[in-house]
Amino acid sequence: MIEDKNQSKTPLSELGEFGLIDHLTKDFSIKKKSTVKGIGDDAAVLDFKDEQIVVTTDMLVEGVHFDLSYMPLKHLGYKAMIVNLSDIYAMNAKATQVTVSIAVSNRFPLEAIEALYSGIKTAASLYDVDVVGGDTTSSTTGLIISITAIGTTKSKDVVYRSGAKSNDLLVVTGDLGAAYLGLQVLEREKEVFKVNPQNQPDLENYTYIIERQLKPEARKDIVKLLNDLEVKPTSMIDISDGLSSEIMHLCKESQVGCELYEDKIPLDPQVISTCEEFNLDSTTVALSGGEDYELLFTVSQEDYTKIKANPNFTVIGFMKDKSTGMNLITRAETSIPLKAQGWNSFNN
Ligand code: ADP
Ligand code: MG
C-alpha cells in the first residue's frame, strides 16, 4: 500500500517537549564561522570579532498575521524567516544567525511542525544563516512563531532610518503592491471555496502576486549590490507596512520632507491588471498594501550615476526640507500630503 504522507499524523504528545526539540533540531548544521556553539546548551555562543552586531525580532500569530487555510506551513516557516532577515538587510548588514521560538497547540500533529521547519530550513540555507537556538512551548489554541535574527556589519557601514538629507534621492528596489493583491486573491478564493468546495480555483493569472504573498524574498542581494557599487545609502528601511508609512518613518527620523512621484512607483503588470479587476487604485495599493519586503533608501545626488542603470532600483522621489512636508505628486501634477495608512487600516 502506498502511504499518503499527508494522511499520517503523529500527535505531539507522543514525543513530548524534549523529543520534539530533538526531532526538529537534529539536522541543523553550523556553517558560519561566527557560530561557536549552536543548539544544545543553555545558550548559543557567537564570536563576531570586531564587527557590530544587529539584532531584530518579529512574531507571527495565527489569525492575526497568517491564516492557515491558504498559507501552507512550509511557506509560513519560510516567510517568518524572510520577515526577520529583511530587517537585518535594511540596516545594510549581513544576516548570520537566527533563533526560532514556537508555541503550538496539540491541534497540530508532528507532520505540521515538520512542514513549518522545512520552510525555516530552506530559508536558512538559501540565506546562509545558522539556526542556533530557540524555544518550544505549548499554546492553548493557535500557532505562534517568533524569530530573532542576528547580523553583523562594520560600524562604518550601518545605515539607519535617520540619515536622509534634503535633496537626496528616494529609491526603491523591485516593485510594490503585489503581496497585498495576492492576499486579496487568496481571500476571495477562500470565500468561493466556502460556498462551493468542489470549485478548483484557477490562479494562473495571479502566479506572481500570490507568490509575493506566500513566498516573499528578502533583499540580501541588494546589500551586496550596494557594496559592490560603492554606494552607502544615507538612510534605509524595509517595506513591510506599505510605501507611504515607510517613507514617513524615514522623513520623521531624518527630520526631512519629501516629494514622491506617483508615475515613478514601480508596479508589475500583474498588479496593474489585478487592480483593474478588483477595482482598486494601484497607487493606493502600493502606498498602503504592505508585505513587499523591498528596500527603500535614500542616496546623495552624487551617487545617482552609480545606480541609475541598474534595473533593481527605481528613483521615486526626492527628500526636501522638513517644512515642505511629505507629499505625493500625482500624475496630474497636483501635490497631496502622504497619509500613513498601515495595512491594517487599509483593511477597514
Ligand atoms: P532551556 O531549558 O535551557 O530553555 P530547551 O530545552 O528549551 O533549553 O532547549 C534546548 C536547546 O534547543 C537549546 O539550545 C535551545 O536553544 C534549542 N531549541 C529549543 N527549541 C527550539 C526550536 N523550536 N528551534 C530551534 N532550537 C530550539
Ligand atoms: Mg527553552
Side-chain angles (χ1 to χ4, degrees), residues 234-290:
T234 51
S235 70
M236 185 149 68
I237 191 169
D238 73 320
I239 302 186
S240 50
D241 292 333
L243 180 62
S244 184
S245 85
E246 313 304 0
I247 289 178
M248 295 180 88
H249 284 306
L250 290 186
C251 286
K252 184 165 171 266
E253 294 304 318
S254 299
Q255 300 280 309
V256 290
C258 83
E259 275 182 356
L260 165 69
Y261 290 87
E262 181 180 22
D263 63 346
K264 302 288 187 218
I265 298 173
L267 302 169
D268 185 85
Q270 225 171 65
V271 165
I272 295 168
S273 60
T274 312
C275 276
E276 277 166 16
E277 186 189 334
F278 278 73
N279 208 8
L280 289 167
D281 174 50
S282 58
T283 302
T284 311
V285 165
L287 286 176
S288 310

Side-chain angles (χ1 to χ4, degrees), residues 17-18 21 24-25 38-42 100-102 117 131-136:
E17 182 192 329
F18 297 124
I21 294 174
L24 292 177
T25 59
I39 291 167
D41 213 306
D42 296 311
V100 179
S101 297
I102 53 172
Y117 263 71
V131 178
V132 295
D135 199 22
T136 308

Side-chain angles (χ1 to χ4, degrees), residues 109-178:
L110 174 64
E111 288 72 17
I113 308 305
E114 282 176 339
L116 181 77
Y117 263 71
S118 78
I120 291 170
K121 238 173 246 173
T122 304
S125 98
L126 219 67
Y127 285 84
D128 191 26
V129 295
D130 289 345
V131 178
V132 295
D135 199 22
T136 308
T137 181
S138 54
S139 118
T140 46
T141 49
L143 173 67
I144 298 173
I145 172 163
S146 172
I147 294 186
T148 297
I150 296 164
T152 66
T153 167
K154 302 229 163 44
S155 59
K156 66 172 179 49
D157 294 332
V158 189
V159 176
Y160 296 101
R161 295 178 178 183
S162 55
K165 298 273 180 301
S166 184
N167 290 324
D168 282 357
L169 302 171
L170 181 64
V171 185
V172 72
T173 63
D175 56 72
L176 301 175

